[in-house]
Amino acid sequence: MVALNDGRKIILTALKGGYHLTEEALEILKKSEDPIGTLNTVIDYVKKTNPSCVVLDGELIRAVIKQTGKLQEPEPVQEEEPIVYACPEVKIIHHYPEDIRIEGRFEEFYRYFHSRYMKLRKILEDRGIKFIPLSEIVKMKKDQEATVAVMVLDRKDTERAIVFECEDPSTTATVLVPKKAGEVLAKAETVLVDCVVGMRLRKVNDTVIVQDILHPDVPINQKHASSGPDMYVCLISDIHIGSKNFRRDLFESFLDWINRDRDGEVKRIGCIVLCGDLVDGVGVYPGQEKELEVVSVNEQFYAAAKILSEIPERIELVYLPGNHEPVRKALPQPPVPDPYKKILESGRKLKFVGNPAKILIGNRLLHLYHGQSLDDLIQILPSVSYSTLHENIGKVLEAMLQARHLAPCYGQNTPLLPLDSDPLVIEEVPDVLCTGHVHVAGVKSYKGVLLINSGCWQEQTSFQQSAGLKPTVGTAVLVNLADMSTKLKLFG
Ligand SMILES: [Fe+2]
């Protein structure tokens, strides 16, 4: 018997004889003891009995076998059971499940930024860097140097220098990076307002000159496990069910693929992460009603439940909200409220988490974040724009990791909830930082961390068109947790 995948030789033999084989005919021949001999017998028989026949189908082959009596169709081969991979449990390490109330007082914001400063300073200190209070620099003698950890309040580009207004709990101060500073200048250009950085300073007359800048970043010696669980995580986001632009056809191709249990990739998928904007929501932006196919949020969730019910139950489905879900817009967001959970769970089981969230699968840490602040970073970072996002999405995520903060620039378009402890600091270096929101798929490895944006399932919107953003529609990113290799899957 030929190997089950060795159909090519049979097909070529049939073609040489001037015949085409149907899929069923090929399967019967592949399972016979002597596929080529059986085929030649069938061809000889057909030539004599039906010279005009050019297509050999299963029925004909069975009939010939019966007529000639020389060949015996083999017993049907028992198909192997698909291998079921034992996936480790998906553990939710951290998220904000509750609806949190704040009063909007100045003290709340002070505590929030103090917490951000202290957490980011600790990341720097953990590398063995010692800091003095910023207030001490006034006491420094000429040409003396010291290192401080500061939050950048403002930056100005002048003809001769970049001027930073900085703050730590002791005081505020102005420091300069001269334009002729070369390497330091290059580092200074990556410093964003509201970020916390380490600065080595030197007093030159009455001016304080920056000698070096240290981002919290990922340490060079950061260790990542060389192997993880033998399974894939599939990352998708921004499905936008309810929108007229939702590409149902592409998502059906995805569902069709995810149900192919014998596909080598599919059978290894143990978890799908749905990184926000499952539904399009209602009233998310002015004039949205014109772009909605389903105008009720409830109905959008019912439609989502039906669609998600087609994902095999053996696959864990983790779902966090985005800016289109009916939850608080300020970060951190809680999971969708109970009524919507119930609707979704009428279709299948899900793991509901807030945004952002950290999950652990085996020894792999995944930091999940819908990515609302990506819009701010795209506006702020030089040489990045919506129209160049296909090339630069990795660079934007890299800036986030360098700042070790999911929304490093305050006061732009990302509302933040001033909690006592800043939940958006990336305190622990993850194995994967997974985002969505900007609808452009991209994968980058940065200092051992996989930076991923999983694209979308919604056709270009009018806003995206006006911004020159071309979404990557119908995309999923597969991450092999064993070796951290990735694959961008395109459906269509
Ligand atoms: Fe979206």
Side-chain angles (χ1 to χ4, degrees):
M1 188 193 293
V2 291
L4 287 182
N5 61 357
D6 192 15
R8 189 176 152 79
K9 200 173 166 190
I10 305 170
I11 294 167
L12 288 174
T13 307
L15 287 172
K16 264 190 199 164
Y19 294 93
H20 293 276
L21 290 168
T22 65
E23 208 171 312
E24 190 190 6
L26 179 63
E27 285 308 308
I28 294 171
L29 290 168
K30 275 161 75 177
K31 290 170 189 171
S32 72
E33 286 296 323
D34 176 13
I36 302 298
T38 306
L39 175 62
N40 286 331
T41 306
V42 172
I43 290 173
D44 287 346
Y45 180 85
V46 169
K47 273 183 183 166
K48 285 177 204 157
T49 56
N50 187 4
S52 61
C53 173
V54 290
V55 177
L56 308 179
D57 61 16
E59 199 181 332
L60 175 69
I61 290 181
R62 278 197 206 91
V64 172
I65 289 169
K66 230 177 179 178
Q67 286 267 337
T68 58
K70 289 178 185 171
L71 301 165
Q72 282 197 337
E73 196 175 343
E75 288 292 311
V77 176
Q78 283 291 318
E79 297 208 340
E80 291 167 38
E81 283 296 312
I83 300 163
V84 177
Y85 283 83
C87 299
E89 191 194 344
V90 177
K91 290 181 189 159
I92 301 168
I93 298 300
H94 197 253
H95 74 134
Y96 283 80
E98 305 300 331
D99 198 6
I100 308 156
R101 301 269 163 217
I102 56 131
E103 291 174 32
R105 288 179 292 117
F106 169 78
E107 294 78 21
E108 291 171 324
F109 284 91
Y110 177 82
R111 278 201 298 270
Y112 172 80
F113 281 105
H114 183 70
S115 156
R116 178 188 292 203
Y117 170 82
M118 293 309 291
K119 285 184 180 191
L120 291 166
R121 175 183 171 130
K122 183 173 181 309
I123 289 171
L124 288 160
E125 281 173 336
D126 284 349
R127 260 173 259 166
I129 307 166
K130 297 262 183 285
F131 299 112
I132 65 157
L134 190 58
S135 56
E136 296 287 307
I137 62 163
V138 288
K139 298 175 197 162
M140 275 166 38
K141 293 180 186 144
K142 192 184 166 204
D143 289 336
Q144 198 179 345
E145 287 191 4
T147 306
V148 294
V150 293
M151 183 174 279
V152 176
L153 299 179
D154 193 19
R155 67 169 269 177
K156 281 192 183 76
D157 270 38
T158 66
E159 202 180 316
R160 294 187 167 185
I162 296 179
V163 182
F164 289 112
E165 196 68 32
C166 301
E167 183 183 48
D168 78 354
S170 69
T171 192
T172 60
T174 303
V175 300
L176 306 181
V177 180
K179 287 274 166 93
K180 58 183 181 187
E183 204 181 313
V184 188
L185 183 70
K187 286 186 183 177
E189 276 161 358
T190 63
V191 174
L192 307 172
V193 170
D194 298 325
C195 285
V196 173
V197 291
M199 285 181 177
R200 187 158 55 82
L201 305 173
R202 176 183 285 183
K203 191 103 170 264
V204 179
N205 300 323
D206 286 335
T207 310
V208 181
I209 306 292
V210 181
Q211 303 296 298
D212 197 8
I213 295 173
L214 303 149
H215 287 281
D217 212 329
V218 177
I220 294 168
N221 57 357
Q222 179 70 35
K223 292 267 182 293
H224 290 271
S226 57
S227 65
D230 181 18
M231 63 170 276
Y232 291 168
V233 173
C234 178
L235 306 171
I236 56 171
S237 67
D238 299 274
I239 303 174
H240 289 273
I241 294 166
S243 162
K244 283 179 184 168
N245 291 327
F246 166 45
R247 287 295 302 270
R248 182 181 291 273
D249 54 337
L250 301 187
F251 205 73
E252 277 169 2
S253 299
F254 169 75
L255 292 171
D256 184 44
W257 172 73
I258 208 86
N259 278 290
R260 281 184 225 149
D261 268 358
R262 289 180 185 285
D263 184 303
E265 283 171 345
V266 170
K267 66 187 177 188
R268 281 182 161 79
I269 297 173
C271 175
I272 294 177
V273 172
L274 218 166
C275 208
D277 287 2
L278 166 64
V279 294
D280 204 48
V282 170
V284 180
Y285 54 88
Q288 189 196 11
E289 62 280 2
K290 290 184 218 121
E291 299 183 346
L292 284 177
E293 186 180 65
V294 183
V295 293
S296 139
V297 179
N298 261 11
E299 292 305 318
Q300 290 178 3
F301 275 101
Y302 275 115
K306 195 158 179 264
I307 290 169
L308 297 182
S309 71
E310 290 183 44
I311 295 174
E313 279 289 345
R314 68 168 185 84
I315 300 175
E316 190 89 69
L317 181 56
V318 178
Y319 166 43
L320 57 144
N323 56 312
H324 279 252
E325 264 78 9
V327 292
R328 173 185 68 226
K329 298 302 170 209
L331 299 175
Q333 295 177 293
V336 290
D338 286 347
Y340 305 119
K341 283 182 187 168
K342 280 188 187 134
I343 294 173
L344 290 175
E345 288 196 312
S346 67
R348 80 174 323 272
K349 255 179 64 189
L350 290 95
K351 249 193 169 84
F352 295 95
V353 295
N355 172 40
K358 287 194 272 185
I359 61 169
L360 191 68
I361 307 176
N363 58 346
R364 299 295 193 197
L365 179 67
L366 284 78
H367 206 133
L368 315 176
Y369 169 46
H370 178 62
Q372 286 90 326
S373 60
L374 290 173
D375 286 326
D376 302 334
L377 287 168
I378 291 164
Q379 309 286 341
I380 291 165
L381 290 170
S383 71
V384 174
S385 68
Y386 287 114
S387 59
T388 60
L389 210 49
H390 287 267
E391 299 99 72
N392 291 323
I393 181 64
K395 201 171 165 183
V396 183
L397 293 171
E398 197 180 296
M400 221 179 241
L401 203 56
Q402 268 180 353
R404 293 285 289 268
H405 201 279
L406 296 175
C409 306
Y410 181 71
Q412 305 294 317
N413 299 304
T414 310
L416 307 180
L417 207 62
L419 305 181
D420 286 353
S421 172
D422 185 349
L424 304 178
V425 175
I426 306 169
E427 292 181 70
E428 201 177 341
V429 176
D431 294 291
V432 185
L433 176 60
C434 169
T435 59
H437 186 61
V438 287
H439 293 208
V440 172
V443 178
K444 184 176 186 179
S445 177
Y446 176 72
K447 295 187 180 175
V449 182
L450 278 179
L451 307 173
I452 296 175
N453 198 290
S454 45
C456 70
W457 301 83
Q458 185 188 35
E459 208 47 80
Q460 190 184 45
T461 62
S462 47
F463 165 74
Q464 289 166 347
Q465 195 176 20
S466 64
L469 186 150
K470 289 199 180 98
T472 35
V473 189
T475 47
V477 179
L478 275 186
V479 181
N480 181 349
L481 294 186
D483 62 6
M484 301 303 279
S485 59
T486 58
K487 191 180 239 186
L488 183 66
K489 300 283 294 181
L490 291 168
F491 295 88

